[in-house]
Amino acid sequence: MDHTTTSLTELIGNAKRHLDLLGYADGTKKHYTLNWNHFSKYAEQKKRTYFSEELGNAYLEDHCGIKAGMELLASQVFKVRTITVLGELLNHKCFLRCHQKIGKQAPLQFHNILKKYEKLQSEKKISKRTISGKKIVLVRFLTYLDKQDVTEITDLHR
């Protein structure tokens, strides 16, 4: 892609197609699109039609309150990523799929019960995203139980 002939609108369109190519989930693609829409509006207000790293950094600072070198929250990391991938796509014609860290795992003695829970939720046609969110809470609870020296769910009393 030529920096001087690829408009921001075209670049974002190419980025959306690249997300499809990389197999991103619909929810994740919507999240990227929402952030790119905000960035597009910012660029429009600044009367800019082409992407630049400077414009991206100005957007992150002005619109998102993100300054270079600051410690970022997960939501801020994602906002930075949405801008970074535009630069990568423009400069390298692609960007790599972002893999999130594996979340905290349940204590070993509770793996079986967690698997049974996931299976039951899937059988009830609960979405994977909802199951994943509930699983995070469950893992926290099971970790708490482990710290209390509970080795079996049947050890719990009223």
Side-chain angles (χ1 to χ4, degrees):
M1 269 174 249
D2 183 356
H3 290 64
T4 58
T5 60
T6 305
S7 70
L8 182 57
T9 302
E10 185 180 354
L11 180 63
I12 290 172
N14 291 338
K16 288 177 184 179
R17 284 186 288 284
H18 200 68
L19 290 175
D20 286 334
L21 188 76
L22 293 173
Y24 275 76
D26 289 340
T28 303
K29 292 187 289 190
K30 285 179 186 174
H31 205 119
Y32 271 95
T33 298
L34 178 67
N35 280 279
W36 287 330
N37 288 344
H38 290 295
F39 179 57
S40 291
K41 287 177 186 168
Y42 176 85
E44 195 175 293
Q45 289 171 349
K46 298 291 181 184
K47 301 192 182 331
R48 303 283 296 274
T49 55
Y50 297 96
F51 177 82
S52 71
E53 191 174 311
E54 294 76 25
L55 179 64
N57 289 337
Y59 164 77
L60 290 171
E61 188 168 334
D62 297 344
H63 185 76
C64 307
I66 299 171
K67 296 179 181 166
M70 71 183 277
E71 191 169 326
L72 303 176
L73 301 171
S75 61
Q76 292 171 316
V77 169
F78 185 79
K79 288 177 185 195
V80 171
R81 167 111 176 120
T82 61
I83 299 303
T84 302
V85 298
L86 294 177
E88 289 176 3
L89 189 61
L90 187 63
N91 293 320
H92 307 293
K93 299 181 179 47
C94 69
F95 57 86
L96 297 177
R97 184 174 169 89
C98 181
H99 294 282
Q100 295 180 340
K101 296 184 290 188
I102 294 173
K104 191 170 187 176
Q105 301 297 305
L108 191 58
Q109 70 267 28
F110 298 122
H111 278 200
N112 193 33
I113 198 162
L114 193 59
K115 290 290 178 201
K116 286 180 183 177
Y117 172 78
E118 288 179 272
K119 184 177 182 218
L120 177 65
Q121 295 300 298
S122 292
E123 289 169 357
K124 289 181 174 183
K125 306 290 187 221
I126 306 292
S127 77
K128 288 182 181 181
R129 188 175 183 123
T130 299
I131 294 170
S132 179
K134 289 180 176 186
K135 189 176 159 188
I136 290 168
V137 175
L138 252 173
V139 167
R140 285 184 195 143
F141 176 66
L142 295 172
T143 300
Y144 168 80
L145 292 178
D146 181 55
K147 289 179 181 175
Q148 303 305 311
D149 296 321
V150 174
T151 58
E152 299 278 336
I153 292 296
T154 54
D155 291 343
L156 296 176
H157 303 282
R158 292 184 190 206

